[in-house]
Amino acid sequence: MHRSRHAFTLVELLVVIAIIGILIALLLPAVQAARESARRTQCNNNLKQIGLALQVYHDTQKRFPPGNISSTPATGFGGAGFSVHARLLPFIEKANLKDLVNSEVAWDDPLNDVAMQKWVSMFICPSDSNILIPPGAGGPNNYYANQGSEIIAGVPWSPGNVGTPNATMPPPSGVFYSGSTVSFADLKDGASETAAFAEKVTGDFNNGISTLQSDTFRPGTYPSTPDEAVDDCRAIDVTDLSMQGYSNVGAPWIRSYHSTTSYYHVETPNKRSCMYPPGRIMTTANSNHPRGVNVAFCDGSVRFIADTIKLEVWRALGTRAGKEAFSDQDL
């Protein structure tokens, strides 16, 4: 007796392959969503650790770290241009890295090159996976300090800048700006309603390429108000390479600068960034998370802010004492 052996037909194999393909297509978005959720959680945790470090720094110094010191010595930092991040190193368990920073010279002094090149995992959001920072540019950073809701790139008046274009502009309203000495007592809007840090993606480091998300564009105008700055920035053709301003965004973390460690609450999240030299800027928070950015507040809390937030509410979160009124439903 002979038993006949049945094999799969070609049609049956094709049906099975098609079913497997459909299942993969259905599962892949769920897997990608789960991965992004994990990355966003890690990003949230990084900001929480930075927020906690701010609290400890304040307990020690009785104020928050200054956004920048151009020439006036600060506690422990006599050199120029160091970021908030550099000042927070001892408070995020990076004392060894802090020891590599020579704070008596400028941030870009050769004595600080070793420290500058270090990558600090707490300063990097896992969702910014396509980091294009070239060798030698320094360690990357995705968490920027809040300068406020104005467009000035420095203090509006001091003995050193009388007569400069920003001399008659409103003073910085944020927490971290040049020469700032902000403390909890100065947060009249409340620590839980004042932004401290927000996310920003790193750049392509190439002005020959227009990258809408990360580039800082240069409209060639000179706005006098935040509204004018937003209108001018929205109006430009970003594919026109003559509008390129600055692409070296996100490094090095040791430097206090609008393209490395500082952002503004002038435009809502995930919109364009633009520069208006001399001395005016709107560096905008953004992220690779869908539909918003993580923001750390001065009380140490972290909230996800949708990019559909009203402009007036976003600007209110950027001020420390603006006396603006809004509810949690506005966030």
Side-chain angles (χ1 to χ4, degrees):
M1 296 180 64
H2 298 280
R3 292 183 180 180
S4 60
R5 296 177 126 188
H6 295 284
F8 289 111
T9 66
L10 179 60
V11 172
E12 289 172 331
L13 286 173
L14 291 174
V15 169
V16 171
I17 292 172
I19 292 173
I20 292 173
I22 293 171
L23 290 174
I24 291 175
L26 292 172
L27 290 174
L28 189 58
V31 172
Q32 291 175 333
R35 288 177 176 173
E36 168 53 25
S37 178
R39 290 191 291 262
R40 180 172 146 185
T41 298
Q42 180 59 52
C43 191
N44 184 291
N45 289 337
N46 287 344
L47 278 170
K48 283 185 177 179
Q49 292 302 311
I50 292 172
L52 178 61
L54 280 178
Q55 313 301 306
V56 180
Y57 183 101
H58 190 282
D59 289 345
T60 303
Q61 302 293 339
K62 309 307 178 187
R63 61 171 174 81
F64 294 114
N68 180 22
I69 295 293
S70 296
S71 59
T72 305
T75 303
F77 280 83
F82 285 98
S83 66
V84 174
H85 303 64
R87 301 169 198 278
L88 287 179
L89 290 176
F91 305 95
I92 59 170
E93 299 182 356
K94 293 294 180 182
N96 291 339
L97 181 54
K98 167 60 176 65
D99 291 339
L100 295 177
V101 177
N102 188 326
S103 57
E104 297 306 315
V105 297
W107 70 270
D108 57 350
D109 189 280
L111 293 174
N112 283 316
D113 190 65
V114 172
M116 184 181 77
Q117 303 303 332
K118 297 291 185 182
W119 286 42
V120 181
S121 60
M122 194 177 294
F123 296 158
I124 303 171
C125 177
S127 292
D128 194 3
S129 57
N130 189 30
I131 295 179
L132 301 174
I133 296 172
N141 172 55
N142 289 125
Y143 306 117
Y144 282 45
N146 167 32
Q147 285 217 26
S149 300
E150 297 74 36
I151 56 174
I152 58 173
V155 179
W157 186 92
S158 73
N161 72 356
V162 173
T164 62
N166 285 334
T168 60
M169 297 288 279
S173 61
V175 182
F176 310 100
Y177 53 90
S178 183
S180 62
T181 57
V182 176
S183 69
F184 275 117
D186 299 310
L187 305 180
K188 305 301 183 182
D189 291 343
S192 64
E193 305 298 338
T194 305
F197 283 82
E199 296 179 84
K200 186 165 179 60
V201 299
T202 54
D204 57 27
F205 283 70
N206 186 348
N207 266 11
I209 301 173
S210 179
T211 305
L212 178 61
Q213 188 181 28
S214 63
D215 286 346
T216 301
F217 298 96
R218 188 170 180 169
T221 60
Y222 201 59
S224 58
T225 68
D227 287 340
E228 287 181 13
V230 169
D231 290 342
D232 291 349
C233 194
R234 291 179 180 180
I236 65 171
D237 177 8
V238 296
T239 64
D240 182 354
L241 293 182
S242 69
M243 295 294 173
Q244 287 279 288
Y246 203 76
S247 297
N248 296 9
V249 176
W253 56 262
I254 199 172
R255 183 187 185 188
S256 178
Y257 187 54
H258 66 83
S259 289
T260 56
T261 52
S262 299
Y263 81 105
Y264 294 73
H265 279 251
V266 176
E267 174 67 292
T268 50
N270 289 323
K271 301 296 195 304
R272 300 175 183 176
S273 293
C274 282
M275 60 193 302
Y276 314 92
R280 296 182 186 175
I281 188 77
M282 52 170 275
T283 299
T284 305
N286 61 18
S287 78
N288 284 322
H289 310 305
R291 299 179 295 279
V293 296
N294 285 309
V295 177
F297 289 81
C298 290
D299 66 344
S301 64
V302 178
R303 282 175 273 180
F304 188 76
I305 304 297
D307 49 25
T308 55
I309 188 172
K310 295 178 180 178
L311 180 57
E312 61 268 24
V313 176
W314 178 246
R315 288 180 178 174
L317 293 177
T319 65
R320 63 184 182 276
K323 300 180 181 178
E324 307 94 343
F326 59 89
S327 64
D328 288 342
Q329 285 83 5
D330 294 321
L331 301 181

